[in-house]
Amino acid sequence: MSEELNDIVVHNYTVGDRVSGKVTKVEEKQVIVAITDSKLDGIIPISELSSLHIEKAEDVVSEGEELDLQVIKVEEDALVLSKRKVDAEKAWESLEERFNSGEIFDAEVKDVVKGGLVVDLGVRGFVPASLVEAHYVEDFSDYKGKTISFKIVELEKDKNRLILSHKAVVEEQKSKQKQNVLESLQEGQTLQGVVQRITDFGAFVDLGGIDGLVHISQLSHEHITKPSDVVQEGQEVNVKILSVDRNNDRISLSIKDTLPGPWANIAEKAEKGSILEGTVKRIVSYGAFVEVFPGVEGLVHISQIAHKHIGTPHEVLKEGQTVQVKVLDVNEEEQRLSLNIKDLTEKEQEEDEVYELPEESKGFQLGDMIGEQLKKLKQQ
């Protein structure tokens, strides 16, 4: 082909034209292609192979591969071509569709850079560090080469700006899971959960996507001053659902209701006739309530407190006092316990009690003594 004819052929192409070509040679910093339906060769500089920075051309293309390309420069005997521009044009169309529909898609993380991750979607997609996970991540080095799910959160084609988020995917999945769990919960159910967070007023338990609150009053049958006395973060617990407020995503739970009550098997722990130690918890006009086991109080009726007559239990007892009690009766079903204190104390001698003569002195009469004296005189 003459130089004149070659010039005519070359100059039939202008910048922006789309062509196809077959890779004939892959060099370190450029790729040579044979342009389809032409005797011309094309050159693709390494910078025009991908939207991302690459070190070697062979990382992107290989010999024999068919490529769609765009003319970016017309030289005397060859065309300078771009694969990157064609890929970007195709990509923007599908990316706009994904952005508008909110589609979730998988992509490989090509690089980890300062401030986030880089993804190749035909154009360079950037994932800011704050949008990688729903939790804080200190080191992103393990993400390189990893395929994860993304949503497009910002797209500006004219500025070549594409922002992706994996965090949005995670939060959306959590929201769906939370809703599914919330719909499945019913009052009265007993489930297993994990203590997620402890506060002054109770503990939040994860039920598999949604948290419920166990108020401090529902943690134990015993009185407690702080939740951490009975539960720890990460602990697996059984909980009973007390109420479900789907409008406000609030779930009330109880651990206490899944535990044996303080009155369970009380007939075995406090057998009739047994002697126990307890603490006076409350004093009322008709007696005193004594706690013999945590959460178990029995009544010592006023008549069972002391041997002597008392007008009020306060005469001999005070709240907080430790006392020995005898079990008179126990009713587990009605949660009633009757106790006695006086049988375990010595009976005091009453001041007005009449002194009794010894047995041998009983029946002694004055006449008997006079008769004895008369007998003695006769004998004399």
Side-chain angles (χ1 to χ4, degrees):
M1 183 181 293
S2 67
E3 288 187 10
E4 184 179 350
L5 181 58
N6 192 49
D7 288 343
I8 293 172
V9 174
V10 171
H11 288 93
N12 279 340
Y13 294 97
T14 59
V15 174
D17 285 350
R18 294 277 288 269
V19 299
S20 60
K22 186 176 184 178
V23 177
T24 57
K25 188 176 182 182
V26 179
E27 298 178 353
E28 186 176 354
K29 298 299 179 182
Q30 65 179 18
V31 174
I32 308 301
V33 297
I35 297 173
T36 306
D37 299 329
S38 172
K39 295 182 178 180
L40 286 173
D41 284 338
I43 300 170
I44 311 173
I46 192 171
S47 61
E48 292 298 325
L49 283 172
S50 172
S51 61
L52 305 179
H53 173 74
I54 56 175
E55 295 293 334
K56 297 178 182 179
E58 64 183 17
D59 293 338
V60 179
V61 296
S62 56
E63 286 189 19
E65 189 175 349
E66 294 279 350
L67 303 174
D68 289 326
L69 306 161
Q70 182 177 318
V71 178
I72 57 173
K73 189 176 182 181
V74 179
E75 296 186 342
E76 291 184 3
D77 57 352
L79 301 176
V80 180
L81 306 169
S82 173
K83 175 179 179 296
R84 177 179 64 83
K85 287 183 178 292
V86 175
D87 290 344
E89 285 183 17
K90 291 179 180 178
W92 281 116
E93 292 179 13
S94 63
L95 290 172
E96 285 180 343
E97 290 178 4
R98 287 176 170 178
F99 177 59
N100 292 329
S101 66
E103 179 187 344
I104 295 173
F105 55 90
D106 294 338
E108 182 184 345
V109 177
K110 291 293 185 181
D111 202 5
V112 176
V113 297
K114 185 178 180 180
L117 312 176
V118 175
V119 177
D120 183 13
L121 295 173
V123 295
R124 182 181 186 274
F126 181 61
V127 189
S130 61
L131 297 182
V132 176
E133 296 287 0
H135 58 272
Y136 173 74
V137 178
E138 186 173 353
D139 183 8
F140 291 104
S141 57
D142 290 342
Y143 283 79
K144 187 172 183 178
K146 188 177 179 181
T147 298
I148 54 180
S149 302
F150 295 103
K151 280 185 75 172
I152 300 171
V153 292
E154 288 185 44
L155 184 149
E156 294 180 81
K157 182 179 177 181
D158 55 339
K159 294 182 180 179
N160 205 38
R161 178 178 172 84
L162 181 67
I163 305 298
L164 310 175
S165 173
H166 176 61
K167 177 182 177 180
V169 176
V170 172
E171 290 181 339
E172 185 174 311
Q173 290 172 341
K174 281 186 176 180
S175 179
K176 287 181 180 178
Q177 184 182 9
K178 178 179 177 180
Q179 194 60 37
N180 290 337
V181 173
L182 188 62
E183 291 298 324
S184 69
L185 297 179
Q186 298 294 330
E187 291 182 15
Q189 274 183 303
T190 299
L191 304 171
Q192 190 174 67
V194 179
V195 178
Q196 288 289 92
R197 188 162 52 94
I198 295 175
T199 66
D200 292 339
F201 53 85
F204 287 92
V205 175
D206 178 16
L207 300 176
I210 188 169
D211 289 350
L213 173 64
V214 183
H215 189 267
I216 189 170
S217 63
Q218 294 296 326
L219 285 170
S220 173
H221 289 289
E222 300 177 34
H223 174 73
I224 59 174
T225 55
K226 55 179 189 274
S228 57
D229 288 341
V230 290
V231 291
Q232 303 297 322
E233 289 185 4
Q235 180 182 346
E236 289 189 357
V237 292
N238 289 320
V239 292
K240 181 180 178 181
I241 299 175
L242 300 180
S243 65
V244 181
D245 183 350
R246 292 183 174 83
N247 293 328
N248 297 300
D249 292 353
R250 290 180 181 174
I251 305 166
S252 296
L253 305 171
S254 174
I255 290 177
K256 178 176 75 173
D257 286 357
T258 68
L259 302 173
W263 287 86
N265 302 319
I266 192 64
E268 297 176 12
K269 295 186 289 184
E271 292 183 34
K272 188 174 181 179
S274 62
I275 297 172
L276 305 172
E277 185 175 83
T279 303
V280 178
K281 287 291 183 179
R282 290 179 295 135
I283 295 177
V284 292
S285 60
Y286 54 86
F289 287 92
V290 176
E291 185 180 57
V292 290
F293 296 106
V296 176
E297 292 182 6
L299 173 65
V300 183
H301 189 268
I302 190 169
S303 64
Q304 301 295 328
I305 292 176
H307 292 286
K308 66 180 182 179
H309 174 75
I310 57 174
T312 169
H314 285 94
E315 293 178 25
V316 291
L317 296 175
K318 60 182 179 180
E319 292 182 359
Q321 180 180 347
T322 300
V323 292
Q324 295 284 320
V325 292
K326 180 180 179 181
V327 179
L328 298 181
D329 189 40
V330 57
N331 188 322
E332 186 173 324
E333 187 177 333
E334 296 182 8
Q335 297 188 357
R336 293 174 63 182
L337 196 60
S338 297
L339 305 173
N340 172 295
I341 291 177
K342 74 177 183 180
D343 285 358
L344 304 178
T345 61
E346 292 185 10
K347 184 177 181 181
E348 297 178 5
Q349 184 175 350
E350 295 185 13
E351 294 179 0
D352 58 349
E353 186 175 353
V354 178
Y355 175 77
E356 293 187 2
L357 293 171
E359 282 296 328
E360 59 272 20
S361 299
K362 286 184 179 179
F364 178 80
Q365 300 290 333
L366 182 59
D368 294 337
M369 183 176 68
I370 295 172
E372 287 295 325
Q373 291 296 328
L374 287 173
K375 285 180 180 179
K376 288 179 180 179
L377 289 173
K378 287 179 180 179
Q379 290 175 355
Q380 291 176 359

